Amino acid sequence: MDMITTTDSLAAACERLSRHPFVTVDTEFLRESTFWPKLCVVQLASTEEAVVVDAIAEGIDLAPLFALMANENVLKVFHAGRQDIEIVWHLAGIIPHPVFDTQVAAMVLGHGDSISYDQLVQRLTGAVLDKSLRFTDWSRRPLSVAQITYAEADVTHLRDVYRKLDADLVKRGRSEWVTEEMAVLISPDTYRQEPERAWERLRSRVRKPKDLAVLMEVAAWREREAQARDIPRSRILKDEVLGEIAAQHPTTPERLAGLRSIPKGFERSRTGEQILEAVRAGLARDPKTLPEIERERPLSNGASATVELLKVLLRMTSEQHGVAAKVIATVDDLERIAADHEPQVAALAGWRRELFGEKALALKDGRLALAMQRGRVIALPRPAE
């Protein structure tokens, strides 16, 4: 099978694909040495054909591909598609829509918490995929016949997986559940890499407002540097170094040099001076403008016992309805339900509330009891006193 290497061939293929109600999509990319993913290959398939696109072919314009991704009349089917969608967002500034993620659908249908593509293919179709080329260098040219065949298989089998999952969702009345789950995948907020928000993924490393202020400034500086130089964040500074700087907030080269994680001589470099400037900017922040630091609230003995009961209810619900427990509720959801009256958690919204949330509240309030019947846990309503 030949790869598509020209804009005209890509446009013709995308025009053909756009006549179908859905296309399956996968990408091959590299990210080990860059901040942004480097797109190398794109695979697409309809019910009639499959194409493999050389995304780094000289002179190729991917505009026809992005137009297809934005075509509202064509459903785009991915498996664990977050990184694939991020690539389209970064290169074209659009979110593919509408989308269907087979990994999410599989969780909703009880196939496990995060089932891999090859496992799902084997379970639903019986086919065994050769994953020996999973870690190949997709940027090297020419690609071998084996690589192209491997890439094509990722979207041809996905057609059968999608159809089987979709039929099962319709049969069990859960299509809308998956539609709800797609909201996060198609939100631009999921993919924005704003330097000012870089601290959020590191928030657990600080306990004091002053530390948080420094972390916000240093994390934003690192994010801007990583994006501008297109290298991984860790090549600039590792997370643990950011945490130490936030805790110690050095304002002079001597104090920066005194940190255990800082290499000798680093404090006199251009990067060292930029870090010190960021620390000073953080210390100059008005504490009133800082976001509130979330404190871990220890659960009372009663709440801890309630969490354990909620875990039993969750497992019972998962087994009874054939839905992965992880997708129904997280441990954090259960702890917040146990501790608060009616917290804003995913388990108490949408289909999750109908399936589990209402029972969780009833169990916590004493309106529901758990019992054993023939070796299985069941839930029973408690009569009003």
Side-chain angles (χ1 to χ4, degrees):
M1 177 181 180
D2 293 330
M3 285 202 299
I4 288 177
T5 58
T6 68
T7 305
D8 288 345
S9 297
L10 176 60
C14 289
E15 196 281 325
R16 294 192 304 272
L17 293 167
S18 69
R19 302 172 195 167
H20 295 265
F22 76 89
V23 294
T24 54
V25 189
D26 191 30
T27 64
E28 308 297 344
F29 58 91
L30 300 178
R31 199 172 195 168
E32 289 79 8
S33 60
T34 61
F35 182 91
W36 306 108
K38 179 182 178 181
L39 179 61
C40 300
V41 178
V42 182
Q43 306 98 279
L44 305 160
S46 69
T47 54
E48 294 182 356
E49 69 173 318
V51 298
V52 178
V53 182
D54 184 351
I56 57 176
E58 185 176 353
I60 195 168
D61 185 346
L62 298 179
L65 168 68
F66 300 138
L68 178 63
M69 293 297 99
N71 188 331
E72 293 284 340
N73 297 318
V74 182
L75 178 69
K76 274 67 69 174
V77 179
F78 300 87
H79 181 84
R82 181 165 177 161
Q83 288 186 301
D84 304 308
I85 294 172
E86 181 190 11
I87 289 171
V88 177
W89 165 259
H90 171 60
L91 293 178
I94 62 170
I95 300 290
H97 189 268
V99 300
F100 182 100
D101 192 307
T102 55
Q103 188 178 72
V104 173
M107 288 193 288
V108 164
L109 291 168
H111 291 286
D113 286 346
S114 299
I115 190 168
S116 67
Y117 178 61
D118 53 320
Q119 290 175 326
L120 188 59
V121 168
Q122 184 169 6
R123 182 176 298 181
L124 295 183
T125 72
V128 178
L129 299 184
D130 177 10
K131 303 303 289 183
S132 61
L133 295 174
R134 179 180 302 177
F135 300 111
T136 192
D137 184 350
W138 292 99
S139 67
R140 296 185 64 179
R141 294 295 182 269
L143 293 178
S144 67
V145 173
Q147 286 175 303
I148 297 173
T149 302
Y150 169 96
E152 181 188 5
D154 275 349
V155 286
T156 53
H157 289 289
L158 191 55
R159 296 181 299 203
D160 298 327
V161 168
Y162 163 67
R163 285 182 290 210
K164 287 181 180 292
L165 290 175
D166 186 51
D168 199 9
L169 288 168
V170 171
K171 180 181 177 181
R172 297 165 70 175
R174 297 182 182 180
S175 297
E176 286 303 314
W177 295 12
V178 174
T179 300
E180 282 186 40
E181 297 308 294
M182 292 303 100
V184 173
L185 269 184
I186 62 175
S187 170
D189 288 339
T190 302
Y191 307 102
R192 289 192 179 108
Q193 304 277 3
E194 297 173 353
E196 291 71 26
R197 297 181 58 184
W199 66 273
E200 293 177 357
R201 53 185 292 275
L202 302 163
R203 67 172 76 216
S204 63
R205 295 179 178 268
V206 294
R207 295 289 180 268
K208 303 174 184 176
K210 185 182 293 187
D211 299 351
L212 175 60
V214 172
L215 177 67
M216 292 174 71
E217 291 292 338
V218 178
W221 165 81
R222 182 182 71 166
E223 195 79 0
R224 286 191 292 268
E225 282 288 298
Q227 291 184 16
R229 294 161 58 182
D230 194 20
I231 58 176
R233 297 180 184 95
S234 60
R235 297 273 186 92
I236 307 293
L237 279 182
K238 295 185 183 297
D239 287 352
E240 53 267 29
V241 181
L242 258 67
E244 188 177 4
I245 291 171
Q248 300 298 326
H249 26 84
T251 55
T252 65
E254 291 73 26
R255 288 193 61 190
L256 183 60
L259 301 185
R260 289 182 302 172
S261 55
I262 296 297
K264 185 177 180 180
F266 182 86
E267 73 280 2
R268 300 292 178 186
S269 67
R270 172 180 169 274
T271 299
E273 179 53 37
Q274 290 176 338
I275 291 172
L276 293 173
E277 288 177 6
V279 170
R280 296 180 194 116
L283 294 175
R285 273 178 172 262
D286 182 351
K288 296 178 182 178
T289 66
L290 299 175
E292 185 177 350
I293 297 177
E294 294 180 8
R295 306 286 183 187
E296 249 188 57
R297 291 181 297 175
L299 293 173
S300 65
N301 290 337
S304 295
T306 302
V307 170
E308 295 307 312
L309 287 174
L310 290 172
K311 288 180 180 178
V312 175
L313 177 66
L314 176 60
R315 183 165 182 176
M316 183 200 79
T317 304
S318 170
E319 293 175 353
Q320 179 182 352
H321 295 280
V323 183
K326 178 181 176 181
V327 81
I328 299 173
T330 65
V331 173
D332 183 61
D333 287 346
L334 302 185
E335 290 179 350
R336 292 182 62 185
I337 291 171
D340 299 332
H341 173 59
E342 188 161 331
Q344 299 295 311
V345 295
L348 294 181
W351 64 269
R352 291 178 176 84
R353 184 175 187 120
E354 180 182 346
L355 193 72
F356 170 77
E358 288 292 348
K359 294 184 182 68
L361 293 174
L363 178 64
K364 175 185 135 178
D365 295 340
R367 293 179 284 112
L368 192 73
L370 299 178
M372 294 295 297
Q373 184 180 74
R374 297 174 184 173
R376 300 186 66 182
V377 177
I378 61 171
L380 299 172
R382 291 189 61 189
E385 296 180 357

